[in-house]
């Protein structure tokens, strides 16, 4: 379902924009209609909560202040991180709204998403303010395509990234960068299959063919030649390259760092993530590099339905949603 939502999100945004044109079919999606709310509508809010009982949920209809959705398991109602239901297959409640719209934020800076007359909020009950109308419409589309039998947060990757950029990144920016750099020396693109083993020689030759052009780009872009290795424990890159990559991360804004962190988590490669960020790799190219060895094994031994196909679909959603998020947060 997440792939279908992503497929619909950008089709009405600016078809002539170069970034949108460069996105693969996974990232071509349609936006929800951005009808403006009625002038006399009372502004309220929507937020996730899991510490409310059934009686309090009923009372909300009387106050019109906030709507709470009871989760399957009790959890703190406020947090600077996404609730677990936003990262798993949990259904947090039935769809209670009819119309999803966008409107300018109350302070005039950015855009808000409206569920009927309620302003959408983050898990810590802050207004979910988008810097661009394109992102607000895309998130509105994710809510518009929710089914009537339940709200599935795991099908809203753009909502998740927006909340992460708004709440988690500002508080933990240094820690995020440190964690990315700790794993840098074990980056996927630096690892080579042993060339002297008949079982891995084909993999090595494919890595040289597909990954070496990316490493040459790294050398040209940052002035340092990456070191390749065959050890599972990784190797050590030159300090100059390490510092150059770290400087790229430090210069990002919160939206960019959230997207790069998500890309690195999905790809196991900070180099691939930064190459996407710099426009060196497109979605299809990145997925091919990430799955290089797995796809070779699938070609040789066959695809296991319910395993390989789900892994591929999940990777496409993670990479595509982060790339879409990057494009939608840019002010053109």
């Amino acid at each position: 379902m997440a792939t279908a939502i992503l497929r619909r999100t950008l089709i009405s945004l600016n078809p002539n924009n170069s970034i949108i044109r460069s996105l693969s079919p996974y990232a071509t999606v349609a936006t929800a209609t951005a009808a403006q709310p009625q002038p006399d509508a009372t502004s309220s809010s929507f937020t996730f909560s899991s510490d409310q009982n059934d009686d309090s949920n009923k009372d909300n209809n009387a106050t019109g202040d906030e709507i709470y959705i009871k989760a399957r398991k009790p959890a703190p109602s406020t947090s600077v991180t996404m609730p677990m239901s936003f990262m798993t297959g949990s259904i947090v409640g039935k769809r209670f709204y009819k119309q999803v719209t966008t409107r300018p934020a109350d302070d005039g800076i950015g855009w808000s998403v409206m569920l009927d007359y309620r302003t959408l909020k983050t898990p810590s009950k802050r207004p979910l303010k988008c810097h661009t109308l394109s992102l607000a419409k895309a998130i509105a589309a994710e809510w518009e395509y929710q089914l009537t039998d339940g709200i599935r947060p795991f099908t809203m990757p753009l909502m998740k990234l927006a909340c992460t950029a708004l709440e988690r990144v500002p508080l933990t920016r240094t820690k995020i960068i440190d964690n990315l750099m700790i794993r840098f020396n074990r980056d996927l693109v630096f690892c080579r299959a042993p060339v002297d083993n008949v079982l891995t020689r084909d993999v090595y030759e494919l890595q040289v063919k597909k990954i070496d052009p990316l490493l040459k780009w790294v050398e040209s872009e940052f002035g340092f030649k990456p070191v390749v290795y065959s050890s599972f424990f990784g190797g050590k890159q030159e300090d100059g390259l390490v510092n150059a990559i770290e400087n790229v991360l430090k210069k990002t804004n919160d939206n960019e760092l959230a997207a790069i962190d998500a890309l690195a988590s999905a790809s196991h490669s900070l180099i691939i993530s930064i190459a996407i960020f710099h426009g060196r790799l497109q979605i299809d190219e990145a997925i091919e590099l990430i799955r290089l060895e797995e796809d070779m094994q699938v070609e040789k031994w066959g695809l296991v339905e319910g395993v390989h196909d789900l892994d591929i679909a999940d990777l496409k959603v993670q990479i595509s949603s982060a790339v879409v998020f990057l494009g939608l947060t840019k002010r053109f």
Side-chain angles (χ1 to χ4, degrees), residues 256-318:
E256 293 168 343
L257 186 57
I260 290 174
D261 187 41
L263 287 168
S265 176
S267 66
H268 306 289
S269 172
L270 184 54
I271 289 295
I272 289 178
S273 305
I274 291 179
I276 294 174
F277 175 61
H278 279 267
R280 171 59 180 78
L281 289 177
Q282 301 300 316
I283 295 174
D284 290 327
E285 296 171 323
I287 291 174
E288 181 184 13
L289 295 182
I290 296 166
R291 290 194 49 83
L292 205 61
E293 185 174 353
E294 288 85 352
D295 286 343
M296 176 175 281
Q297 295 295 331
V298 168
E299 184 178 350
K300 184 176 181 180
W301 302 107
L303 182 142
V304 179
E305 293 186 3
V307 179
H308 292 137
D309 51 348
L310 294 182
D311 287 344
I312 294 170
D314 182 60
L315 179 63
K316 288 178 178 179
V317 169
Q318 292 185 63

Side-chain angles (χ1 to χ4, degrees), residues 54-76:
D54 292 338
D55 293 337
S56 63
N57 287 335
K58 295 178 181 179
D59 293 339
N60 278 329
N61 294 330
T63 63
D65 185 19
E66 289 187 346
I67 286 187
Y68 294 90
I69 298 179
K70 186 176 181 181
R72 293 185 176 182
K73 294 183 179 180

Side-chain angles (χ1 to χ4, degrees), residues 184-204:
F184 178 64
N185 286 317
R186 301 190 299 274
D187 198 287
L188 172 70
V189 300
F190 299 149
C191 184
R192 284 286 187 273
V195 68
D196 56 352
N197 190 317
V198 66
L199 296 177
T200 59
R201 187 176 300 142
D202 290 344
V203 178
Y204 174 84

